[in-house]
């Protein structure tokens, strides 16, 4: 007998933002544990013999555990103002499809969006997260042709060509981002033809390609003020299942755009004891050559401790590639660029200064650091 | 404290409005009572003895005229001031209902002392002395309903004098007592007042008292007359 | 401050322990009733808040549909196209277990829920929460429900829904707070996809929760598709509160009345205690105790009554609160909606308020006696005559005051506003005016009696009459107190009685069928079809006519509206019209063109026959003309009645809640029952009741509802009884000495007894007689003004002589019992003891 009150309560699934008793890092685990606990059987593993083809592989790979469309960039605004942004759409698979379901809400895909913005001059950083289910309701998803990736009203979509240029819009509570990404060099296949090994076991790998330098222009809305911006963006695409090996705690990932032409991508997989895993790898462009752990020396120079989470991050690094006669200092433009969302990690704009073959070289880029908290992640 | 009070009455008039008619009880009374005098008021019932006592004691306000105690006109005093005056300068003794029934004899004695600010040891001492003076040394802790009529009046007497007032007003204090007891009480009253020089005005029917008094005044037809003259 | 004076007063009180005890009891009961009602109210309030919390969570707005469900694509439009950030869908439906228990299956999107609600959850062993999404047919529930169903996470349960049997698997447990847990006991939660599939409602949603600011809400409201409404959750919870506000105000008023009676008794007792000591007070004034000291002393004495009385009252109040809470909750449960209250919270704020009230009332009630004590002039203390005379002189003042307040009361009551507050203020003013009039009236009546009838009475009784008049200063207040209490008891009794007979009459009018069949969830889940059943019943030879009825609630921006869809067939529709032409109204109603409004609805909405009313339906809005207003006591929020066919068209709801079956000529009720049972078989979820059974069940609910009123009535009666008895008793005890004088003069003990009893009995009877008109007046106010404003319905005013007789009995009993002890004592005492030391 209905008493006229639609009494609803919510199921106890992802109370990610509402577990006050738990520490943020533990809270962050919720997603990870949800995903980690979810049945991995039946999902596909990265295949070394597979070579990505386009535009097919711009789209989603629903049978792999995790996937992302990862966009970072440094922007210049009016009056010499400097900004950094990150826009990412993640996809997670909860399992393999067993049956056809009648409801359009039915799905095994969970989508997540991260949006972050750095205002260098004002020393402000802002990050926000969205989560939505996949399924036929169209709340979130991605398509290959035409290329789109969206979560609610955050959206990346090709304008008319198969891939680039791409229009990007995202909004959250007084902040807005609208960019157009123009064609740039790429796709750059990371690892071996896009097969990026990250651990010893079969499947401890992902398929990975990048567009390391996409000219970007558009508008940023900051607290009601609309600012025109231009700059350079970096798009990373990756998909895989349980990519990291068991000994790896996290990684430090560098995506640097150097002013003398060429880009550098390097990820250092960090072990429990803090040492670099030998499977750490990267790529230099122009010409394209692969980097290996042995050939790269990374030394943290300065640390910053987050007042919110208490985690200590190295926000300044020395990166040396002797074989290239390349020594770079990579410095965060702002120390406080920690993303304290369902997953906690540090991702921020950096400036680069150094020497290549004795000639001074500068650049800009993004640095991502994970796994500096007490417990390991395992996407 | 202590000492005695000089009383002057000038044109003292008191009329009651009863069922529409004005009944004058006292009319134009002029009299003087000197320090330390023992005055007896006699008159028939309803003649106004109590009324006069009440007027002198500031318990009632005259319809006309005034009462002066030691030169101070009572008419000028407010209720509060009258209360304070009564505490210091006046003592009362009625025919009955002199004592607070729910206080012991000694507590009844402490009451006027408390009102003038004498408390604690000195107060208890004084109370003990006065109890002794009226011959009730060990009856202190008793309640009034445990005392005989005469004993009650003796405590009442002590209560009326313990704060050394300059004037004692007694309204038929022995009316309720048998002859022997009445005599004892009167003797005490006279003695204590003379010793302290307290002016004493008593309204009474009792003939023994007349002998002890300095002056006897009669109230008749609304006026005050010297008894000697009348008789 | 004179310590000795205070000490003397304390001892005086201690020497009159019974008076002291009864005064304390008066305070205690007054405080207990007020505190108890307050506590019960707070407990109910908390329960409201919890259920509101559970209903709305943090949502500021909700999108609902009058027809129950709407298309899910609206969610996508709002979440993606419009970009609303905090938005969550839900779908609800009923499922039935094997044992007939009905549960609500609620489907949610866990990814949207975070801003709205959060309950702890535990993962089941061997199952993962992610399974709710990936595995169809999975649910979570509270541990209480799991225990009820005797399953653990991982276990399965079978449910029936829409004619199908479905297997569900429990994959986890929910841990909301304790209070929410109680409310969620009948709920299963699932992923929204699962809910759609299990309930067979692919493509539909029941509700969308939103957190919006007003501007966005206004913009959104305009753009919603027809058949959906945006309602503010504030409005919904306001509704919850409003629904029971009238009920709670009534309780509150009754409790304040109890306090008023208690205050009266304190005043009467304190005033006695002062009057008894006039001589001592006079003497104290002569020796120089100031007025202020006496005033302060009396106030201090009142604390001796107030402090223990308040303390006892708070403890009693807490106990009473527990009892009342369960009564209140049960009533709300019966009448309005499901409410769960765990335990009565010990609200310290309320206790503090109760303490202040108790002490405050004691001091306030003692102010007048304290002033009286201070005003004792030293001289006049020695004679009582002047006191009585002063009181007699004050009588005209009292009359003037009474008349003034009486006029104010009438004005207040005639004020054309809708406020319950002015109505209660007016009622209290009437009571005060009547109380003020009591001493003058007694004086007049006794005077008349003694002059008129006196010569025919024997000595004791004649003296009794004269004695009353002469001792008005003491008797006046006691009689006023007795009168007010008896009037209260009578007034409330008459009101409840009138209400009950009105409801009874209305039931007789409305229940036109011989048997009623109610069709429940389980029956529909088993595949029942209301229309088919109707036809089958109609075809029975024992049946002359079948009526159909469905009741539903529709959410509008202004709150909830109750709709009653009715198909009376060709016969009497059982609606008692109080306005509108019955013939025309029936025609319009049957044609589906018009609706009828219940009296409460019409009053609240300010509508009447001939007006138009807009109702939100599946078609958007449907406009109807109002053909008439009918009397209805099913809900004080009001009901809109329309013909079932029109309802089905406009609201797209095919469900039938109940059928009324009228027997054909020559069929008796047993035969009809048998015929009906034969058609129904042994299905579950279906109930058959006769006209008479329903009537008595309804009246049982009514009686249960008014249990609280009767409890309070009883308490008022008890307080009054003891208080007045004590006052009269102490007054008589006080006069024991006078009785001794009479005995000395030669009166027999019997004569003395007759004097005392005669006096108290006369007082009692007088109070009782005076209480009758006041009681009737109070009942009239309660019925004509307060009930109308609170519940917006009218009822017949029945003056039940039995209630009046009870009131008289109470008054006489209090007075006589109050006189028995003193009469006996006075007669027994030896005169010598009392004459001594006069």
């Amino acid at each position: 007998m209905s008493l006229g009150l639609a009494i609803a309560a919510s199921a106890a699934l992802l109370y990610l933002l509402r577990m006050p008793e738990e520490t943020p890092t533990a809270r962050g685990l919720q997603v990870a544990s949800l995903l980690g606990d979810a049945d991995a059987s039946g999902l596909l593993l990265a295949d070394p013999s597979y070579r990505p083809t386009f535009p097919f592989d711009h789209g989603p790979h629903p049978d792999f555990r995790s996937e992302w469309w990862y966009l970072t960039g440094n922007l210049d605004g009016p009056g010499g103002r400097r900004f950094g942004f990150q826009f990412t759409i993640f996809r997670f698979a909860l399992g393999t499809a067993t049956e056809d379901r009648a409801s359009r809400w039915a799905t095994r895909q969970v989508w997540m969006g991260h949006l972050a913005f750095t205002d260098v001059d004002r020393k402000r950083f802002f990050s926000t997260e969205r989560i939505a289910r996949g399924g036929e309701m169209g709340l979130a998803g991605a398509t290959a042709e035409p290329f789109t990736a969206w979560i609610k009203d955050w959206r990346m979509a090709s304008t008319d060509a198969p891939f680039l240029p791409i229009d990007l819009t995202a909004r959250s509570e007084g902040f807005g981002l609208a960019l157009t990404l123009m064609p740039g060099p790429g796709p750059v296949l990371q690892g071996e033809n896009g097969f990026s090994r990250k651990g010893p076991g079969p499947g401890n790998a992902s398929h990975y390609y990048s567009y390391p330098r996409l000219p970007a222009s558009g508008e940023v809305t900051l607290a009601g003020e609309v600012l025109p911006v231009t700059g350079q963006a970096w798009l990373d695409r990756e998909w895989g299942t349980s990519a990291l090996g068991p000994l790896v705690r996290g990684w430090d990932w560098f995506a640097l755009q150097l002013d003398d032409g060429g880009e550098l991508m390097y990820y250092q997989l960090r072990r429990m004891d803090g040492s670099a895993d030998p499977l750490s790898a990267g790529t230099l462009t122009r010409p394209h050559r692969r980097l290996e752990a042995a050939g790269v020396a990374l030394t943290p120079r300065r640390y910053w401790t987050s007042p919110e989470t208490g985690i200590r991050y190295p926000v300044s690094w020395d990166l040396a590639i002797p074989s290239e006669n390349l020594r770079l200092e990579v410095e965060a433009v702002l120390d406080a660029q920690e993303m304290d969302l369902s997953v906690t990690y540090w991702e921020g704009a950096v400036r680069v200064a150094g020497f290549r073959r004795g000639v001074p070289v500068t650049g800009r880029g993004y640095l991502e650091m994970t796994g500096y908290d007490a417990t390991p992640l395992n996407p | 404290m202590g000492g005695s009070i000089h009383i002057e009455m000038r044109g003292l008039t008191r009329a009651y409005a009863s069922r529409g008619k004005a009944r004058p009880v006292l009319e134009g009374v002029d009299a003087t009572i000197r320090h330390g005098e023992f005055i007896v008021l006699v008159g028939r019932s309803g003649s106004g003895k109590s009324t006069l006592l009440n007027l002198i004691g500031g318990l009632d306000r005259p319809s006309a005229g005034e009462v002066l105690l030691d030169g101070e006109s009572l008419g000028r005093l407010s209720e509060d001031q009258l209360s304070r005056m009564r505490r210091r300068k006046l003592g009362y003794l009625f025919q009955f209902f002199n004592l607070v029934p729910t206080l012991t004899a000694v507590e009844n004695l402490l009451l006027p002392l408390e009102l003038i600010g004498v408390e604690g040891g000195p107060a208890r001492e004084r109370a003990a002395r006065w109890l002794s003076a009226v011959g009730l040394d060990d009856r202190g802790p008793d309640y009034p309903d445990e005392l005989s009529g005469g004993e009650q009046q003796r405590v009442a007497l002590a209560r009326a004098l313990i704060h050394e007032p300059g004037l004692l007003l007694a309204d038929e204090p022995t009316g309720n007592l048998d002859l022997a007891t009445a005599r004892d009480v009167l003797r005490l009253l006279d003695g204590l007042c003379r010793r302290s020089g307290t002016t004493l005005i008593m309204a009474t029917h009792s003939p023994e008292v007349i002998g002890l008094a300095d002056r006897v005044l009669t109230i008749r037809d609304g006026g005050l007359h010297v008894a000697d003259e009348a008789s | 401050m004179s310590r000795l004076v205070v000490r003397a007063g304390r001892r005086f009180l201690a020497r009159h322990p019974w008076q002291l005890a009864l005064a304390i009891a008066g305070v205690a009961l007054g405080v207990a009733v007020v505190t108890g009602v307050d506590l019960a109210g707070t407990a109910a309030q908390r329960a409201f808040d919890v259920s509101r919390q559970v209903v709305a969570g943090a949502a500021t707005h909700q999108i609902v549909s009058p027809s129950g469900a709407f298309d899910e694509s609206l969610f996508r439009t709002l979440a993606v196209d419009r970009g609303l950030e905090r938005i969550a869908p839900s779908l609800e439906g009923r499922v039935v277990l094997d044992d007939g228990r009905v549960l609500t299956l609620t489907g949610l999107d866990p990814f949207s829920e975070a801003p709205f609600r959060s309950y702890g959850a535990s993962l089941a062993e061997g199952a993962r929460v992610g399974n709710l999404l990936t595995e169809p047919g999975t649910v979570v529930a509270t541990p209480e429900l799991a225990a009820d169903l005797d399953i653990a996470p991982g276990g399965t349960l079978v449910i029936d829904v829409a004619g199908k049997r479905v297997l569900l698997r429990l994959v986890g447990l929910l841990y909301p707070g304790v209070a929410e847990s109680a409310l969620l006991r009948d709920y299963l939660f699932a992923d929204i996809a699962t809910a759609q599939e299990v309930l067979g409602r692919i493509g539909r949603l029941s509700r969308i929760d939103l957190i919006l600011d007003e501007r966005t809400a206004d913009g959104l409201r305009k753009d919603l598709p027809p058949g959906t409404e945006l309602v503010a959750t504030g409005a919904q919870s306001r509704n919850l509160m409003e629904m029971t506000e009238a009920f709670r105000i009534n309780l509150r008023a009754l409790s304040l009345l109890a306090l008023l009676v208690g205050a009266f008794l304190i005043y009467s007792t304190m005033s006695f205690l002062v009057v008894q000591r006039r001589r001592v007070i006079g003497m104290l004034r002569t020796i120089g105790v100031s007025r202020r000291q006496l005033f302060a002393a009396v106030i201090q004495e009142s604390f001796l009554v107030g402090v223990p009385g308040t303390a006892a009252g708070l403890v009693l109040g807490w106990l009473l609160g527990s009892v009342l809470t369960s009564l209140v909750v049960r009533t709300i449960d019966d009448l309005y909606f499901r409410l769960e209250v765990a335990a009565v919270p010990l609200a310290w704020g309320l206790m503090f308020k109760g303490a202040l009230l108790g002490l405050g009332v004691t001091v306030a009630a003692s102010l007048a006696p304290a002033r009286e004590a201070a005003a004792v002039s030293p001289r006049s203390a020695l004679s009582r005559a002047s006191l009585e005379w002063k009181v007699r002189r004050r009588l005209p003042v009292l009359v003037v005051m009474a008349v003034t307040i009486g006029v104010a009361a009438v004005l207040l009551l005639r004020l054309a506003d809708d406020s319950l507050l002015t109505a209660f203020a007016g009622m209290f003013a009437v009571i005060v005016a009547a109380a003020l009039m009591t001493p003058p009236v007694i004086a007049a009546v006794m005077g008349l009696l003694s002059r008129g009838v006196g010569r025919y009475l024997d000595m004791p009784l004649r003296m009794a009459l004269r004695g009353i008049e002469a001792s008005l200063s003491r008797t006046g207040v006691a009689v006023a107190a007795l009168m007010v209490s008896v009037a209260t008891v009578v007034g409330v009794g008459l009101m409840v009685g009138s209400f009950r007979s009105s409801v009874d009459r209305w039931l007789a009018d409305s229940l036109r069928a011989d048997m009623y069949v109610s069709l429940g969830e389980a029956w529909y889940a088993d595949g029942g079809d209301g229309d088919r059943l109707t036809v089958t019943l109609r075809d029975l030879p024992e049946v002359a006519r079948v009526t159909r009825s469905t009741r539903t609630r529709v959410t509008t921006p202004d709150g909830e509206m109750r709709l009653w869809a009715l198909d009376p067939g060709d016969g009497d529709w059982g609606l008692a019209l109080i306005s509108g032409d019955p013939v025309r109204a029936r025609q319009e109603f049957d044609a589906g063109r018009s609706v009828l409004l219940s009296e409460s609805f019409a009053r609240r909405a300010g509508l009447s026959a001939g007006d138009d009313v807009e109702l939100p339906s599946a078609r958007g809005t449907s406009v109807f003309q109002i053909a008439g207003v009918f009397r209805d006591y099913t809900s004080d929020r009001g009901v809109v009645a329309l013909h079932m066919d029109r309802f089905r068209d406009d609201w797209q709801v095919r469900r039938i809640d109940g059928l009324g079956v009228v027997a054909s000529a020559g069929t008796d009720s047993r035969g009809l029952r048998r015929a009906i049972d034969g058609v129904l078989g042994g299905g579950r979820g279906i109930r058959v009741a006769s006209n008479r059974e329903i009537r008595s069940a309804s009246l049982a609910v009514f009686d249960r509802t008014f249990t609280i009123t009767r409890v309070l009535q009883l308490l008022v009666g008890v307080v009054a009884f003891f208080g007045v008895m004590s006052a009269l008793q102490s007054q008589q005890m006080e006069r024991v000495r006078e009785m001794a004088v009479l005995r000395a003069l030669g009166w027999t003990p019997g004569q003395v007894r007759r004097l005392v009893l005669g006096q108290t009995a006369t007082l009692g009877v007088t109070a009782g007689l005076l209480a009758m008109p006041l009681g009737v007046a109070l009942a009239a106010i309660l019925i004509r003004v307060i009930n109308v404003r609170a519940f917006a319905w009218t009822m017949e005013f029945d003056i039940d002589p039995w209630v009046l007789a009870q009131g008289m009995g109470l008054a006489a009993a209090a007075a006589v019992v109050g006189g028995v002890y003193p009469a006996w004592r006075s007669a027994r005492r030896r005169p010598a003891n009392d004459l001594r030391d006069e």
Side-chain angles (χ1 to χ4, degrees), chain B residues 2-152:
Chain B
S4 52
I5 290 185
H6 171 105
I7 302 152
E8 269 193 68
M9 290 168 262
R10 296 196 194 141
L12 201 54
T13 306
R14 185 59 167 107
Y16 287 112
S18 162
R19 295 173 210 275
K21 285 188 294 220
R23 234 179 7 104
V25 176
L26 297 170
E27 253 183 303
V29 171
D30 292 305
T32 307
I33 297 174
R34 289 183 289 276
H35 294 287
E37 268 199 287
F38 181 170
I39 304 289
V40 163
L41 283 179
V42 296
R44 258 182 273 185
S45 296
S47 55
K49 302 193 295 295
S50 302
T51 310
L52 184 59
L53 282 180
N54 289 340
L55 287 171
I56 294 172
L59 296 185
D60 192 9
R61 287 192 187 275
S63 317
E66 59 178 349
V67 174
L68 295 116
L69 296 183
D70 275 349
E72 196 181 7
S73 172
L74 292 187
R76 297 225 191 91
L77 298 180
S78 68
E79 267 305 322
D80 247 7
Q81 286 168 320
L82 279 174
S83 290
R84 278 196 280 270
M85 187 272 302
R86 282 201 289 276
R87 282 180 206 175
R88 295 191 320 271
K89 296 200 183 168
L90 303 183
Y92 286 90
L93 197 50
F94 299 113
Q95 192 172 10
F96 25 69
F97 300 117
N98 281 294
L99 301 177
V100 179
T102 54
L103 289 179
T104 62
V106 68
E107 283 169 343
N108 269 286
L109 292 188
L110 291 174
L111 195 47
L113 292 180
E114 187 191 55
L115 287 173
I116 59 170
V118 179
E119 297 183 85
R124 280 195 293 274
E125 236 178 282
R126 223 204 285 193
R129 256 186 295 130
W130 277 89
L131 265 180
S132 212
V134 298
L136 291 171
D137 298 64
D138 47 357
R139 304 304 296 278
D142 291 341
Y143 284 95
D145 59 10
E146 293 165 321
L147 301 171
S148 74
E151 287 165 339
Q152 283 182 27

Side-chain angles (χ1 to χ4, degrees), chain A residues 3 7-9, chain C residues 46-48 50-52 54-55 101-104 119 141-146 148 174-189 329 333 337-343:
Chain A
L3 301 168
I7 295 187
Chain C
R46 292 234 176 129
F48 280 142
V50 163
S51 60
R52 182 170 53 91
V54 170
V55 170
R101 179 169 175 178
V102 179
L103 299 177
T104 305
Y119 301 138
T142 60
E144 287 83 7
L145 179 58
D148 280 354
L174 267 187
Y175 295 95
V178 168
E180 287 99 330
S181 212
L183 281 163
L184 297 177
R185 209 186 179 109
D186 294 322
Y187 284 80
L188 290 170
F189 299 99
V329 167
D333 219 56
F337 49 81
R338 176 90 173 277
L339 201 62
E340 288 275 347
V341 174

